[in-house]
Each structure stands twice: as structure tokens, then as C-alpha cells.
Amino acid sequence: DAEIAAISLIDENGERRVRMANLAFVGAHSVNGVAALHTELMKKTVFADLHKLYPDRINNKTNGVTPRRWLQQCNPGLTQVIRDAIGDAFLDDAEKLADLNAHAADRQFGERVWAVKRANKVALSDYIKKTMGLRLDPDALFDVQIKRIHEYKRQLLNLIETVALYDQIRSHPERDWVPRVKIFAGKAAPSYHNAKLVIKLANDIARRVNADPSVGGLLKVVFIPNYNVSLGERIFPAADLSEQISTAGMEASGTGNMKFALNGALTVGTLDGANVEIKDHVGDDNIVIFGLTADEVAAKRAGGYNPREVIEGSRELSQALTAIASGVFSPDEPDRYKDLIGGIYDHDWFMCAADFDSYVAAQRSIDARWEDVAGWRAATIRNIANVGWFSSDRTISEYAKDIWKVL
């Protein structure tokens, strides 16, 4: 009876509502996940019972992005540099970008790619100066997280690390810090209170950090308002570092990760969504992975995880959380973020505390990589070269062949 109830089209408890997901599954001839990890999780969790009944119905079709918009249109400078190096075949077949691997260690080619990147950073800096009045250094590392504001995407983790970095720069001015610009953008659902608080926090941190002469040009923070596709076309080509830091197991795929890599940004991320496949394509040396895996997240949630113990064991994390919660960045309303930070102490459902130390270590390793100019340039070229598989052309051809049966 329990197994029958689990696959019923009607919820057998309470008000006996129609289960739309079950109805869609049974009514469809094919059910697809949009990244390899996502597809496996669908089989093990949401559709576990129906998967046992229809073991061949779920299949994977990893998302893709169109290189016509996200390379050729938004980054004509890089497109021309690539054409000069490998010809025009990649314009029709993005997987031909793989020919760039032969040029990854070429110093002159690397300098041309870098010149385009810097020009894009200057253009974005000019836009931010014009629209927001903030002056940025285009030679700083542009560290970017642009996506819908959601707790599982963990803009909050990034902001906590920003506060910790700010504290460290002020406490240790003698260190040779890598100049960084932390760029955020994205929209929150109208009724999503915590997401709106995260936007407010980003702006509050930016206001304090950008006005502090003690950090000089070593750290700037900017939340660019009114994020949309047109703004994305400005930001993706200018990014040096792509923040893909969702709680493992919660991001279906992501496509920003693909757009960043296609434009020559290195990814720092968890093993979540399509990050897993990006890692497989670009190679372990050309991506920075940190944090818990999806299985480890599930185990922590099931095993009585105590975030307070973790926080008390990390001085940097404890100081950053205390600063945010006590109103250091919101003196006009000291308790503004008390409940937001309290959620990390109480349950930390999205594992911000659990992944913090690993995330900080990843960021400091990125500082070291940034100072190796030749190594960084080679890694960016290998990212561009090896993400052609993430073209929507490949995705749609898989749909046409495997699902629609029109090829």
C-alpha cells in the first residue's frame, strides 16, 4: 500500500490534491535532468519510486548556452582573436574551440587574449563609474557572482568571506594582498525576505568598504542594480573569476558558469550542477573546487550537524558573522541582519558555516594563481577551448535525436 501511495497521481494524505509532478512523469515518454548530477539526484530523490517503475524514462540532457550571443555578440574582441588563431569553424561548431588548446602556452596569443579581457574590464569599469559613481581598477581581479538571489546560491557565503577579507586586510596591511573587485548582481523574488536582505547587505558592505581609506585600492565591492541580459553581456566578458558556489546538490545545472568559462573566467565552485561536467571538460588544474559534496551535505543534515560548534572553531568566520549581526555594516539599524545571521547559528541549512573555511582557502589559492600571470592566462585559454560542448546546439541536437526522434 505504501509503495502504491508513493506513485499515486493523487496525494493520498490530507486534501488529496493532484500531484502534478507525478502526472507529468507518467504522461511523458521522456523525463530529463539538465546536468549529470541533477539527473542522478532526480532518480534517487524526487522521482525515486517512479524511476523504479520506469527505469528507462529519466535521461540526462545537460544545459547549454548559445555561443552566438554569449561569445560572438557580447565579446567581439575575443571572437576575432580566436578567429585569427584557429579560423572560422568554431562559429558554426563551438566544439571546434578545442583547437585553442594548442595555443594555451603561446605567450603572444595569451597577451592578445589578456588585452581583450582588460579592454572589457575597462568598459565595465566605465559603465559602473557612469551609472554608480564608483571608480574601479581594471587591473584588479574582477571576482563576479551574478545570478538570481537565493539562499542556496549562497551570495551570503560570498559576502561573509568579503567581510572576513576586509578584516584581514585591515589587520595585516603588511601582507601583499591581491587587489580584488567583488561584483554582485541579480534579482530577488518580490516576497523573498531573506533574498532582499542579502541585496541590502551587499550594498551596506559596499558602502563601508569602498569608503574605508585603510584598504585603499585592495578591495572594492559593488552590487550592480537592474540585472538583465544586456547587463550580463557587459559583465561576462569582463570577469576574471566566476563564483559558482551553490550548496552541493541544490543547483540543477546553472548556465552562468558556462558563459563565464566561455569568456575566459576561471570558476571557483562546489561540485554542484554543471560545475561537475565543466570540471571534467576543462580539467582539474583549470577550475577551483571547494566544499562539501552533495552526499556530504545530505549526511550532515541527517546526522545532527551543529553549526555553532563550527563557527566557534573558526576565528575568521566568527568575527565576520559577529560584525554583520551586530550592526557594523548597518549602524542605522543595528539588528537588521540579526535574524539572517541567526539562521546560520541555528541550523545553517545551506552550509555557509560548514563550507566557509574551505571557501576561504580556495580564495587564497586563487590569489596565488593570479600572481602567476602566464599560468592564469593559460588556464583561461583552456577554459575557453574546452567548454564548446556546453553549446545549446549540442543540447538541442540531443533532444532532437533522443527525445523528439527527428534526427
Side-chain angles (χ1 to χ4, degrees):
D1 288 345
E3 291 182 358
I4 293 172
I7 62 173
S8 174
L9 303 187
I10 306 297
D11 187 345
E12 301 296 338
N13 301 308
E15 299 180 15
R16 292 179 56 79
R17 297 182 179 183
V18 175
R19 288 172 166 169
M20 298 304 293
N22 284 20
L23 180 61
F25 190 107
V26 173
H29 77 279
S30 179
V31 177
N32 69 283
V34 291
L37 177 64
H38 177 235
T39 301
E40 291 309 305
L41 287 172
M42 296 280 279
K43 293 177 181 178
K44 295 175 183 177
T45 58
V46 178
F47 290 129
D49 296 295
L50 285 164
H51 175 60
K52 292 176 185 176
L53 194 62
Y54 301 101
D56 299 323
R57 186 158 296 184
I58 298 178
N59 65 91
N60 182 61
K61 296 288 173 281
T62 298
N63 275 340
V65 298
T66 172
R68 286 166 290 284
R69 177 181 292 276
W70 295 114
L71 176 61
Q72 296 167 34
Q73 178 173 306
C74 75
N75 203 342
L78 180 58
T79 301
Q80 187 58 54
V81 168
I82 296 171
R83 293 179 73 179
D84 291 345
I86 62 172
D88 291 348
F90 77 97
L91 298 174
D92 294 318
D93 180 359
E95 294 193 55
K96 298 292 187 184
L97 286 167
D99 293 344
L100 286 175
N101 280 307
H103 300 268
D106 184 323
R107 182 177 60 82
Q108 289 187 326
F109 181 71
E111 287 176 354
R112 290 194 67 193
V113 171
W114 198 251
V116 170
K117 175 68 74 175
R118 192 181 188 282
N120 291 331
K121 292 168 73 174
V122 169
L124 179 61
S125 299
D126 290 345
Y127 172 83
I128 291 171
K129 178 66 170 65
K130 180 180 179 180
T131 58
M132 302 182 67
L134 180 63
R135 191 181 301 277
L136 303 178
D137 176 8
D139 291 317
L141 191 158
F142 277 25
D143 175 351
V144 185
Q145 187 175 21
I146 52 173
K147 53 182 74 253
R148 181 168 51 88
I149 311 299
H150 199 299
E151 287 168 283
Y152 84 83
K153 292 179 183 288
R154 297 202 296 190
Q155 286 91 352
L156 183 55
L157 173 61
N158 192 346
L159 289 168
I160 295 166
E161 193 274 334
T162 301
V163 171
L165 177 59
Y166 173 56
D167 286 344
Q168 289 294 308
I169 291 173
R170 290 191 303 160
S171 300
H172 299 282
E174 76 283 359
R175 293 183 185 172
D176 188 18
W177 296 101
V178 169
R180 266 191 199 237
V181 178
K182 289 269 196 175
I183 297 174
F184 298 85
K187 294 182 178 179
S191 61
Y192 196 165
H193 176 71
N194 278 2
K196 290 191 169 186
L197 269 182
V198 167
I199 294 175
K200 186 70 173 172
L201 177 60
N203 282 283
D204 281 343
I205 292 172
R207 190 175 299 109
R208 172 70 179 262
V209 171
N210 297 342
D212 189 339
S214 69
V215 299
L218 294 176
L219 181 62
K220 295 290 185 183
V221 182
V222 54
F223 187 98
I224 309 176
N226 303 318
Y227 180 64
N228 56 22
V229 169
S230 297
L231 184 55
E233 288 180 309
R234 294 177 183 271
I235 299 174
F236 286 111
D240 295 308
L241 185 65
S242 163
E243 297 271 355
Q244 307 299 329
I245 60 175
S246 55
T247 310
M250 300 196 73
E251 182 70 80
S253 167
T255 56
N257 46 8
M258 304 168 191
K259 297 166 191 170
F260 278 118
L262 186 60
N263 283 277
L266 266 63
T267 300
V268 56
T270 51
L271 285 173
D272 196 28
N275 291 354
V276 177
E277 288 152 288
I278 290 176
K279 173 180 173 290
D280 291 342
H281 280 79
V282 305
D284 293 356
D285 293 338
N286 302 305
I287 190 171
V288 180
I289 298 296
F290 75 95
L292 300 170
T293 65
D295 288 342
E296 288 168 342
V297 169
K300 269 196 176 295
R301 287 174 175 166
Y305 164 56
N306 181 6
R308 190 174 295 271
E309 184 178 305
V310 172
I311 294 166
E312 291 172 353
S314 172
R315 184 176 180 182
E316 277 192 68
L317 175 58
S318 180
Q319 289 178 340
L321 293 178
T322 298
I324 296 169
S326 64
V328 168
F329 300 95
S330 55
D332 57 319
E333 187 185 344
D335 290 340
R336 181 179 293 155
Y337 304 113
K338 185 178 180 181
D339 290 342
L340 182 68
I341 299 304
I344 298 177
Y345 279 89
D346 292 340
H347 52 79
D348 192 27
W349 182 255
F350 299 101
M351 300 291 155
C352 286
D355 275 347
F356 177 80
D357 284 346
S358 178
Y359 181 53
V360 169
Q363 293 289 13
R364 299 295 73 80
S365 76
I366 288 162
D367 288 342
R369 293 184 68 141
W370 177 256
E371 293 183 320
D372 174 13
V373 174
W376 186 280
R377 291 177 183 178
T380 65
I381 293 166
R382 290 194 177 97
N383 268 266
I384 299 165
N386 294 304
V387 294
W389 184 82
F390 295 94
S391 167
S392 56
D393 296 348
R394 187 268 314 155
T395 307
I396 296 304
S397 70
E398 289 182 0
Y399 272 86
K401 178 182 176 182
D402 301 334
I403 297 177
W404 303 330
K405 307 295 185 183
V406 295
L407 285 181

